[in-house]
Amino acid sequence: MTDPLAQDQIDVQLLLFTIETSIRVVKRFQFFLWAQGSLQTFLPHETLLCACGDIERGDYRASVFSRSVLSPEYESRLIDPAAGLMARLLDDWRAGAREPLAYGGGVRGRSGAAALRTLGLQHALAHGCREARGEQSTFFALLGMPDAPTDQDARRIELLMPNLHLALLRITEFERREGAERANGRYSSPLTLSARELQVLDWVREGKTNHEIGQILDISPLTVKNHIQKILRKLDVTNRAQAVARLAALRAHEAGRDLAGET
């Protein structure tokens, strides 16, 4: 039989660890690594949806952080401000007095539950933080949880909400300043990897070893190792997994900037 006191102690330790590691999150790739690391130990999930802005008026920027590669079409169905899953979850959250939302175990009668089923999803947990300044409100949805979220899970996301909220605001502020620098001509793209370095990192992402990458690219494993060391320095990370995550976040960020510039 599980000792409730021992379980409470474990929960406190996990909460403190998750909070402590969130404090260092400033950039998008850091948030991704935190969500796939510390946050997973506290609230395991497959995909995390985030919204920041005036969520009451539907004027927000949404992001997707997923352990799986999602198609652009599927991501659009998650975060489309008019008819996406995020919009339906926000409707449920407002209707539920802005309390944590737990989906699973046959929950019905909510527009979000129907939207989850349409997307082939079942277990989800969602909550938000409404600021007095509406444009700085946030909302989060954890999708693809291994089991139906419990009352304890709802309590966990309540406890973690201030840190989720502040981490997303820090990312938003960092990118706002970066955008201002770009507009003033002081911005340089962080995607400074050479064509060969990008090739190497793409194969790293596929799980290939230095020896296998060398065979594929017809270069020595030592050359591959040198490329990876340069990649780590350029991306300001310490290991291969962080490099892959950072490049994915940077590419998404650059694509978003380019798209914004076309509109």
Side-chain angles (χ1 to χ4, degrees), residues 104-133:
V107 173
R108 297 185 182 276
R110 296 174 178 167
S111 61
L116 284 165
R117 289 194 297 272
T118 300
L119 291 164
L121 300 168
Q122 185 176 5
H123 303 141
L125 182 67
H127 195 27
C129 180
R130 183 189 179 192
E131 287 280 23
R133 291 181 59 186

PDB file of all heavy atoms in Angstrom, residues 104-133:
ATOM      1  N   GLY A 104     -11.001  13.514 -19.791  1.00  0.00           N
ATOM      2  CA  GLY A 104     -10.700  12.093 -19.775  1.00  0.00           C
ATOM      3  C   GLY A 104     -11.770  11.343 -19.021  1.00  0.00           C
ATOM      4  O   GLY A 104     -12.577  11.922 -18.298  1.00  0.00           O
ATOM      5  N   GLY A 105     -11.790  10.047 -19.212  1.00  0.00           N
ATOM      6  CA  GLY A 105     -12.778   9.254 -18.491  1.00  0.00           C
ATOM      7  C   GLY A 105     -14.198   9.516 -18.942  1.00  0.00           C
ATOM      8  O   GLY A 105     -15.124   9.476 -18.143  1.00  0.00           O
ATOM      9  N   GLY A 106     -14.374   9.815 -20.234  1.00  0.00           N
ATOM     10  CA  GLY A 106     -15.721   9.998 -20.767  1.00  0.00           C
ATOM     11  C   GLY A 106     -16.331  11.351 -20.504  1.00  0.00           C
ATOM     12  O   GLY A 106     -17.557  11.491 -20.521  1.00  0.00           O
ATOM     13  N   VAL A 107     -15.506  12.380 -20.239  1.00  0.00           N
ATOM     14  CA  VAL A 107     -16.045  13.724 -20.009  1.00  0.00           C
ATOM     15  C   VAL A 107     -16.754  14.221 -21.262  1.00  0.00           C
ATOM     16  O   VAL A 107     -16.210  14.174 -22.358  1.00  0.00           O
ATOM     17  CB  VAL A 107     -14.912  14.712 -19.635  1.00  0.00           C
ATOM     18  CG1 VAL A 107     -15.448  16.131 -19.573  1.00  0.00           C
ATOM     19  CG2 VAL A 107     -14.310  14.312 -18.302  1.00  0.00           C
ATOM     20  N   ARG A 108     -17.963  14.694 -21.102  1.00  0.00           N
ATOM     21  CA  ARG A 108     -18.733  15.209 -22.233  1.00  0.00           C
ATOM     22  C   ARG A 108     -19.404  16.513 -21.814  1.00  0.00           C
ATOM     23  O   ARG A 108     -19.284  16.963 -20.690  1.00  0.00           O
ATOM     24  CB  ARG A 108     -19.778  14.185 -22.701  1.00  0.00           C
ATOM     25  CG  ARG A 108     -19.145  12.898 -23.225  1.00  0.00           C
ATOM     26  CD  ARG A 108     -20.167  11.928 -23.789  1.00  0.00           C
ATOM     27  NE  ARG A 108     -19.538  10.693 -24.239  1.00  0.00           N
ATOM     28  CZ  ARG A 108     -18.980  10.548 -25.420  1.00  0.00           C
ATOM     29  NH1 ARG A 108     -18.995  11.539 -26.287  1.00  0.00           N
ATOM     30  NH2 ARG A 108     -18.421   9.396 -25.748  1.00  0.00           N
ATOM     31  N   GLY A 109     -20.091  17.127 -22.747  1.00  0.00           N
ATOM     32  CA  GLY A 109     -20.800  18.349 -22.432  1.00  0.00           C
ATOM     33  C   GLY A 109     -19.928  19.584 -22.523  1.00  0.00           C
ATOM     34  O   GLY A 109     -20.365  20.671 -22.154  1.00  0.00           O
ATOM     35  N   ARG A 110     -18.705  19.440 -22.986  1.00  0.00           N
ATOM     36  CA  ARG A 110     -17.823  20.575 -23.199  1.00  0.00           C
ATOM     37  C   ARG A 110     -17.391  20.594 -24.655  1.00  0.00           C
ATOM     38  O   ARG A 110     -17.152  19.548 -25.256  1.00  0.00           O
ATOM     39  CB  ARG A 110     -16.563  20.474 -22.326  1.00  0.00           C
ATOM     40  CG  ARG A 110     -16.793  20.518 -20.829  1.00  0.00           C
ATOM     41  CD  ARG A 110     -15.463  20.262 -20.132  1.00  0.00           C
ATOM     42  NE  ARG A 110     -15.550  20.327 -18.691  1.00  0.00           N
ATOM     43  CZ  ARG A 110     -14.583  19.896 -17.882  1.00  0.00           C
ATOM     44  NH1 ARG A 110     -13.485  19.388 -18.399  1.00  0.00           N
ATOM     45  NH2 ARG A 110     -14.717  19.990 -16.576  1.00  0.00           N
ATOM     46  N   SER A 111     -17.277  21.792 -25.212  1.00  0.00           N
ATOM     47  CA  SER A 111     -16.854  21.889 -26.610  1.00  0.00           C
ATOM     48  C   SER A 111     -15.429  21.380 -26.771  1.00  0.00           C
ATOM     49  O   SER A 111     -15.077  20.798 -27.803  1.00  0.00           O
ATOM     50  CB  SER A 111     -16.962  23.336 -27.103  1.00  0.00           C
ATOM     51  OG  SER A 111     -16.120  24.200 -26.352  1.00  0.00           O
ATOM     52  N   GLY A 112     -14.570  21.575 -25.739  1.00  0.00           N
ATOM     53  CA  GLY A 112     -13.200  21.092 -25.807  1.00  0.00           C
ATOM     54  C   GLY A 112     -13.123  19.584 -25.876  1.00  0.00           C
ATOM     55  O   GLY A 112     -12.275  19.024 -26.562  1.00  0.00           O
ATOM     56  N   ALA A 113     -14.012  18.886 -25.153  1.00  0.00           N
ATOM     57  CA  ALA A 113     -14.018  17.425 -25.168  1.00  0.00           C
ATOM     58  C   ALA A 113     -14.325  16.904 -26.566  1.00  0.00           C
ATOM     59  O   ALA A 113     -13.692  15.960 -27.047  1.00  0.00           O
ATOM     60  CB  ALA A 113     -15.034  16.900 -24.152  1.00  0.00           C
ATOM     61  N   ALA A 114     -15.301  17.521 -27.223  1.00  0.00           N
ATOM     62  CA  ALA A 114     -15.649  17.109 -28.588  1.00  0.00           C
ATOM     63  C   ALA A 114     -14.491  17.378 -29.544  1.00  0.00           C
ATOM     64  O   ALA A 114     -14.177  16.558 -30.412  1.00  0.00           O
ATOM     65  CB  ALA A 114     -16.904  17.848 -29.052  1.00  0.00           C
ATOM     66  N   ALA A 115     -13.818  18.529 -29.378  1.00  0.00           N
ATOM     67  CA  ALA A 115     -12.688  18.864 -30.236  1.00  0.00           C
ATOM     68  C   ALA A 115     -11.532  17.897 -30.028  1.00  0.00           C
ATOM     69  O   ALA A 115     -10.845  17.512 -30.985  1.00  0.00           O
ATOM     70  CB  ALA A 115     -12.237  20.299 -29.967  1.00  0.00           C
ATOM     71  N   LEU A 116     -11.302  17.482 -28.790  1.00  0.00           N
ATOM     72  CA  LEU A 116     -10.246  16.507 -28.509  1.00  0.00           C
ATOM     73  C   LEU A 116     -10.525  15.185 -29.213  1.00  0.00           C
ATOM     74  O   LEU A 116      -9.635  14.596 -29.831  1.00  0.00           O
ATOM     75  CB  LEU A 116     -10.133  16.287 -26.999  1.00  0.00           C
ATOM     76  CG  LEU A 116      -9.437  17.388 -26.196  1.00  0.00           C
ATOM     77  CD1 LEU A 116      -9.732  17.221 -24.708  1.00  0.00           C
ATOM     78  CD2 LEU A 116      -7.936  17.367 -26.439  1.00  0.00           C
ATOM     79  N   ARG A 117     -11.771  14.713 -29.138  1.00  0.00           N
ATOM     80  CA  ARG A 117     -12.118  13.449 -29.783  1.00  0.00           C
ATOM     81  C   ARG A 117     -11.936  13.545 -31.289  1.00  0.00           C
ATOM     82  O   ARG A 117     -11.469  12.598 -31.926  1.00  0.00           O
ATOM     83  CB  ARG A 117     -13.556  13.065 -29.433  1.00  0.00           C
ATOM     84  CG  ARG A 117     -13.733  12.638 -27.974  1.00  0.00           C
ATOM     85  CD  ARG A 117     -15.078  11.952 -27.771  1.00  0.00           C
ATOM     86  NE  ARG A 117     -16.184  12.851 -28.050  1.00  0.00           N
ATOM     87  CZ  ARG A 117     -16.736  13.654 -27.156  1.00  0.00           C
ATOM     88  NH1 ARG A 117     -16.255  13.706 -25.917  1.00  0.00           N
ATOM     89  NH2 ARG A 117     -17.755  14.423 -27.471  1.00  0.00           N
ATOM     90  N   THR A 118     -12.291  14.684 -31.855  1.00  0.00           N
ATOM     91  CA  THR A 118     -12.149  14.867 -33.302  1.00  0.00           C
ATOM     92  C   THR A 118     -10.690  14.751 -33.732  1.00  0.00           C
ATOM     93  O   THR A 118     -10.375  14.262 -34.822  1.00  0.00           O
ATOM     94  CB  THR A 118     -12.699  16.244 -33.719  1.00  0.00           C
ATOM     95  OG1 THR A 118     -14.085  16.310 -33.373  1.00  0.00           O
ATOM     96  CG2 THR A 118     -12.538  16.468 -35.213  1.00  0.00           C
ATOM     97  N   LEU A 119      -9.784  15.181 -32.860  1.00  0.00           N
ATOM     98  CA  LEU A 119      -8.353  15.147 -33.162  1.00  0.00           C
ATOM     99  C   LEU A 119      -7.700  13.834 -32.733  1.00  0.00           C
ATOM    100  O   LEU A 119      -6.484  13.687 -32.836  1.00  0.00           O
ATOM    101  CB  LEU A 119      -7.653  16.313 -32.458  1.00  0.00           C
ATOM    102  CG  LEU A 119      -7.981  17.707 -33.013  1.00  0.00           C
ATOM    103  CD1 LEU A 119      -7.563  18.789 -32.028  1.00  0.00           C
ATOM    104  CD2 LEU A 119      -7.285  17.911 -34.356  1.00  0.00           C
ATOM    105  N   GLY A 120      -8.499  12.899 -32.258  1.00  0.00           N
ATOM    106  CA  GLY A 120      -7.954  11.616 -31.837  1.00  0.00           C
ATOM    107  C   GLY A 120      -7.264  11.678 -30.493  1.00  0.00           C
ATOM    108  O   GLY A 120      -6.420  10.823 -30.180  1.00  0.00           O
ATOM    109  N   LEU A 121      -7.610  12.662 -29.672  1.00  0.00           N
ATOM    110  CA  LEU A 121      -7.004  12.834 -28.358  1.00  0.00           C
ATOM    111  C   LEU A 121      -8.014  12.478 -27.272  1.00  0.00           C
ATOM    112  O   LEU A 121      -9.217  12.576 -27.483  1.00  0.00           O
ATOM    113  CB  LEU A 121      -6.532  14.279 -28.179  1.00  0.00           C
ATOM    114  CG  LEU A 121      -5.476  14.761 -29.187  1.00  0.00           C
ATOM    115  CD1 LEU A 121      -5.304  16.270 -29.090  1.00  0.00           C
ATOM    116  CD2 LEU A 121      -4.152  14.058 -28.939  1.00  0.00           C
ATOM    117  N   GLN A 122      -7.508  12.105 -26.106  1.00  0.00           N
ATOM    118  CA  GLN A 122      -8.415  11.704 -25.034  1.00  0.00           C
ATOM    119  C   GLN A 122      -8.125  12.444 -23.734  1.00  0.00           C
ATOM    120  O   GLN A 122      -8.956  13.202 -23.247  1.00  0.00           O
ATOM    121  CB  GLN A 122      -8.323  10.191 -24.802  1.00  0.00           C
ATOM    122  CG  GLN A 122      -9.324   9.664 -23.776  1.00  0.00           C
ATOM    123  CD  GLN A 122      -9.271   8.157 -23.642  1.00  0.00           C
ATOM    124  OE1 GLN A 122      -8.427   7.494 -24.240  1.00  0.00           O
ATOM    125  NE2 GLN A 122     -10.176   7.599 -22.841  1.00  0.00           N
ATOM    126  N   HIS A 123      -6.954  12.242 -23.171  1.00  0.00           N
ATOM    127  CA  HIS A 123      -6.645  12.810 -21.860  1.00  0.00           C
ATOM    128  C   HIS A 123      -5.918  14.139 -22.007  1.00  0.00           C
ATOM    129  O   HIS A 123      -4.916  14.243 -22.722  1.00  0.00           O
ATOM    130  CB  HIS A 123      -5.778  11.842 -21.055  1.00  0.00           C
ATOM    131  CG  HIS A 123      -6.404  10.501 -20.880  1.00  0.00           C
ATOM    132  ND1 HIS A 123      -5.685   9.321 -20.930  1.00  0.00           N
ATOM    133  CD2 HIS A 123      -7.695  10.136 -20.663  1.00  0.00           C
ATOM    134  CE1 HIS A 123      -6.506   8.307 -20.741  1.00  0.00           C
ATOM    135  NE2 HIS A 123      -7.729   8.769 -20.580  1.00  0.00           N
ATOM    136  N   ALA A 124      -6.416  15.157 -21.322  1.00  0.00           N
ATOM    137  CA  ALA A 124      -5.814  16.485 -21.407  1.00  0.00           C
ATOM    138  C   ALA A 124      -6.075  17.255 -20.122  1.00  0.00           C
ATOM    139  O   ALA A 124      -7.046  16.985 -19.397  1.00  0.00           O
ATOM    140  CB  ALA A 124      -6.361  17.256 -22.606  1.00  0.00           C
ATOM    141  N   LEU A 125      -5.188  18.210 -19.862  1.00  0.00           N
ATOM    142  CA  LEU A 125      -5.300  19.067 -18.688  1.00  0.00           C
ATOM    143  C   LEU A 125      -4.995  20.490 -19.132  1.00  0.00           C
ATOM    144  O   LEU A 125      -4.025  20.718 -19.865  1.00  0.00           O
ATOM    145  CB  LEU A 125      -4.303  18.618 -17.617  1.00  0.00           C
ATOM    146  CG  LEU A 125      -4.283  19.359 -16.278  1.00  0.00           C
ATOM    147  CD1 LEU A 125      -5.581  19.123 -15.515  1.00  0.00           C
ATOM    148  CD2 LEU A 125      -3.098  18.887 -15.437  1.00  0.00           C
ATOM    149  N   ALA A 126      -5.828  21.454 -18.733  1.00  0.00           N
ATOM    150  CA  ALA A 126      -5.638  22.830 -19.197  1.00  0.00           C
ATOM    151  C   ALA A 126      -5.910  23.813 -18.072  1.00  0.00           C
ATOM    152  O   ALA A 126      -6.761  23.585 -17.214  1.00  0.00           O
ATOM    153  CB  ALA A 126      -6.558  23.118 -20.385  1.00  0.00           C
ATOM    154  N   HIS A 127      -5.177  24.913 -18.099  1.00  0.00           N
ATOM    155  CA  HIS A 127      -5.377  25.970 -17.115  1.00  0.00           C
ATOM    156  C   HIS A 127      -4.702  27.239 -17.651  1.00  0.00           C
ATOM    157  O   HIS A 127      -3.868  27.185 -18.552  1.00  0.00           O
ATOM    158  CB  HIS A 127      -4.779  25.579 -15.771  1.00  0.00           C
ATOM    159  CG  HIS A 127      -5.223  26.426 -14.618  1.00  0.00           C
ATOM    160  ND1 HIS A 127      -6.437  27.095 -14.596  1.00  0.00           N
ATOM    161  CD2 HIS A 127      -4.618  26.731 -13.433  1.00  0.00           C
ATOM    162  CE1 HIS A 127      -6.561  27.755 -13.456  1.00  0.00           C
ATOM    163  NE2 HIS A 127      -5.468  27.552 -12.738  1.00  0.00           N
ATOM    164  N   GLY A 128      -5.075  28.382 -17.072  1.00  0.00           N
ATOM    165  CA  GLY A 128      -4.507  29.641 -17.538  1.00  0.00           C
ATOM    166  C   GLY A 128      -4.307  30.618 -16.410  1.00  0.00           C
ATOM    167  O   GLY A 128      -4.638  30.348 -15.245  1.00  0.00           O
ATOM    168  N   CYS A 129      -3.772  31.765 -16.770  1.00  0.00           N
ATOM    169  CA  CYS A 129      -3.532  32.834 -15.812  1.00  0.00           C
ATOM    170  C   CYS A 129      -3.974  34.135 -16.462  1.00  0.00           C
ATOM    171  O   CYS A 129      -3.392  34.574 -17.460  1.00  0.00           O
ATOM    172  CB  CYS A 129      -2.053  32.895 -15.438  1.00  0.00           C
ATOM    173  SG  CYS A 129      -1.650  34.192 -14.244  1.00  0.00           S
ATOM    174  N   ARG A 130      -5.008  34.739 -15.915  1.00  0.00           N
ATOM    175  CA  ARG A 130      -5.528  35.988 -16.458  1.00  0.00           C
ATOM    176  C   ARG A 130      -4.949  37.164 -15.679  1.00  0.00           C
ATOM    177  O   ARG A 130      -5.159  37.288 -14.478  1.00  0.00           O
ATOM    178  CB  ARG A 130      -7.054  36.026 -16.374  1.00  0.00           C
ATOM    179  CG  ARG A 130      -7.656  37.276 -16.990  1.00  0.00           C
ATOM    180  CD  ARG A 130      -9.136  37.374 -16.690  1.00  0.00           C
ATOM    181  NE  ARG A 130      -9.715  38.579 -17.248  1.00  0.00           N
ATOM    182  CZ  ARG A 130     -10.925  39.032 -16.947  1.00  0.00           C
ATOM    183  NH1 ARG A 130     -11.684  38.374 -16.088  1.00  0.00           N
ATOM    184  NH2 ARG A 130     -11.386  40.135 -17.487  1.00  0.00           N
ATOM    185  N   GLU A 131      -4.196  38.020 -16.369  1.00  0.00           N
ATOM    186  CA  GLU A 131      -3.594  39.189 -15.743  1.00  0.00           C
ATOM    187  C   GLU A 131      -4.542  40.379 -15.805  1.00  0.00           C
ATOM    188  O   GLU A 131      -5.437  40.443 -16.649  1.00  0.00           O
ATOM    189  CB  GLU A 131      -2.287  39.555 -16.456  1.00  0.00           C
ATOM    190  CG  GLU A 131      -1.146  38.600 -16.156  1.00  0.00           C
ATOM    191  CD  GLU A 131      -0.481  38.892 -14.821  1.00  0.00           C
ATOM    192  OE1 GLU A 131      -1.118  39.496 -13.941  1.00  0.00           O
ATOM    193  OE2 GLU A 131       0.677  38.501 -14.645  1.00  0.00           O
ATOM    194  N   ALA A 132      -4.322  41.329 -14.890  1.00  0.00           N
ATOM    195  CA  ALA A 132      -5.108  42.563 -14.935  1.00  0.00           C
ATOM    196  C   ALA A 132      -4.894  43.273 -16.266  1.00  0.00           C
ATOM    197  O   ALA A 132      -5.827  43.842 -16.836  1.00  0.00           O
ATOM    198  CB  ALA A 132      -4.708  43.473 -13.766  1.00  0.00           C
ATOM    199  N   ARG A 133      -3.640  43.234 -16.741  1.00  0.00           N
ATOM    200  CA  ARG A 133      -3.362  43.720 -18.095  1.00  0.00           C
ATOM    201  C   ARG A 133      -3.626  42.558 -19.033  1.00  0.00           C
ATOM    202  O   ARG A 133      -2.855  41.608 -19.107  1.00  0.00           O
ATOM    203  CB  ARG A 133      -1.899  44.165 -18.215  1.00  0.00           C
ATOM    204  CG  ARG A 133      -1.562  45.413 -17.428  1.00  0.00           C
ATOM    205  CD  ARG A 133      -0.100  45.777 -17.622  1.00  0.00           C
ATOM    206  NE  ARG A 133       0.195  46.016 -19.034  1.00  0.00           N
ATOM    207  CZ  ARG A 133       1.432  46.244 -19.491  1.00  0.00           C
ATOM    208  NH1 ARG A 133       2.458  46.248 -18.652  1.00  0.00           N
ATOM    209  NH2 ARG A 133       1.626  46.461 -20.773  1.00  0.00           N
TER     210      ARG A 133
END
